[in-house]
Amino acid sequence: MAKKTNEVSKKKDKPIFQSVDSLQTVVNVVNEAAFALNEKSRTIRESAIPEVLMGALGAGVGAVGSFIALYGLGTVGLSAAGIMSGLATAGGAVSTLVGGAVSASVAGIFVLAAPVAVLGATGVGVAVHLKNKQLQQEKERIYKEALRKHEAIIKALKEEVNADKERLDYLQSLNILLSQAIKDLRKDLGVVA
C-alpha cells in the first residue's frame, strides 16, 4: 500500500512543463495576448490559435486540470513514420555493408545510439544540469511575461466592457488561457500564490 501512495505522490510532483519546447504553448498565448492588446478590433477569427481560444471558452476556468490539456495542442512531437524513416536513413549504410541481414531501421538504432554510449556519465550529468537550469530560467521569464499580459487582458476586459461579443469572447478566452498557464507555471516554480 505504501508503494502505491509513493507512486501517486511522485506523479503529482512531476512538472507540467518538462522541456523548453513544452513552454512554446504558453509563449503562443502570451504572443496572442500582445496582438489582442495592440489591435482593439482583433477577435478570435483573426487569431493564429482560434481553435485553442474557442476550446478555452468552451471549457472555462477550472474545467481542465492543466494548461497543456486546455491548450489542447500540446507540443509537436515526432511521428512514428518520421522516426522510422530517420532510423532507416541513418542505418542504411550499415545495412548495406552487412548485406541486408539487418534491417536499415535496426541498424539505424545502433548507428545513432553509438555516440550517446560514448558520452561519459559526467558529461551527461552536466548537460542535464544545464538543461534544467535553462528550463527553470525560461519558466521564470515566461511566468513574469504571462503575469503582465494577464493583468493587461483583465484591464482590457474592464475598459472594453461595451465591445461586441466577439471581442469580449476573445479577451475572455485569453484570460482563461493565461490564468491556467500562470497557475501551472506557479506549480512548476514552487511559487505560492
Side-chain angles (χ1 to χ4, degrees):
M1 193 63 152
K3 186 177 181 181
K4 188 154 187 112
T5 305
N6 228 3
E7 289 173 17
V8 171
S9 117
K10 283 182 185 177
K11 201 172 197 175
K12 285 182 183 177
D13 295 337
K14 190 175 181 181
I16 295 167
F17 301 102
Q18 297 180 21
S19 69
V20 172
D21 290 342
S22 69
L23 290 168
Q24 186 59 45
T25 55
V26 179
V27 170
N28 292 346
V29 173
V30 168
N31 289 340
E32 188 61 39
F35 288 128
L37 295 166
N38 289 330
E39 299 174 30
K40 300 284 186 204
S41 63
R42 190 175 176 98
T43 64
I44 291 174
R45 218 176 321 167
E46 292 86 23
S47 169
I49 54 172
E51 297 86 4
V52 175
L53 295 166
M54 291 302 291
L57 267 182
V61 178
V64 179
S66 74
F67 174 80
I68 296 294
L70 185 59
Y71 191 88
L73 299 177
T75 58
V76 177
L78 295 173
S79 68
I83 291 169
M84 289 306 291
S85 67
L87 290 174
T89 301
V94 172
S95 180
T96 303
L97 289 174
V98 177
V102 176
S103 82
S105 295
V106 172
I109 292 170
F110 293 108
V111 168
L112 294 177
V116 174
V118 172
L119 288 176
T122 305
V124 172
V126 169
V128 167
H129 174 72
L130 291 174
K131 186 177 174 182
N132 287 338
K133 185 176 179 182
Q134 177 193 17
L135 176 60
Q136 188 73 7
Q137 290 171 340
E138 193 62 8
K139 283 180 185 181
E140 289 170 5
R141 184 188 71 76
I142 292 170
Y143 172 69
K144 289 175 185 172
E145 189 59 30
L147 280 174
R148 281 192 287 276
K149 292 296 187 253
H150 187 238
E151 289 170 11
I153 290 292
I154 290 170
K155 183 179 176 188
L157 276 164
K158 290 176 183 174
E159 290 173 356
E160 297 182 40
V161 73
N162 295 324
D164 64 17
K165 181 174 175 8
E166 284 185 37
R167 174 70 178 170
L168 292 174
D169 284 350
Y170 176 52
L171 294 173
Q172 185 58 30
S173 64
L174 286 166
N175 180 39
I176 292 166
L177 287 168
L178 288 166
S179 293
Q180 192 63 47
I182 290 166
K183 177 182 167 192
D184 288 352
L185 284 165
R186 276 187 182 138
K187 179 188 175 289
D188 278 9
L189 293 169
V191 175
V192 179

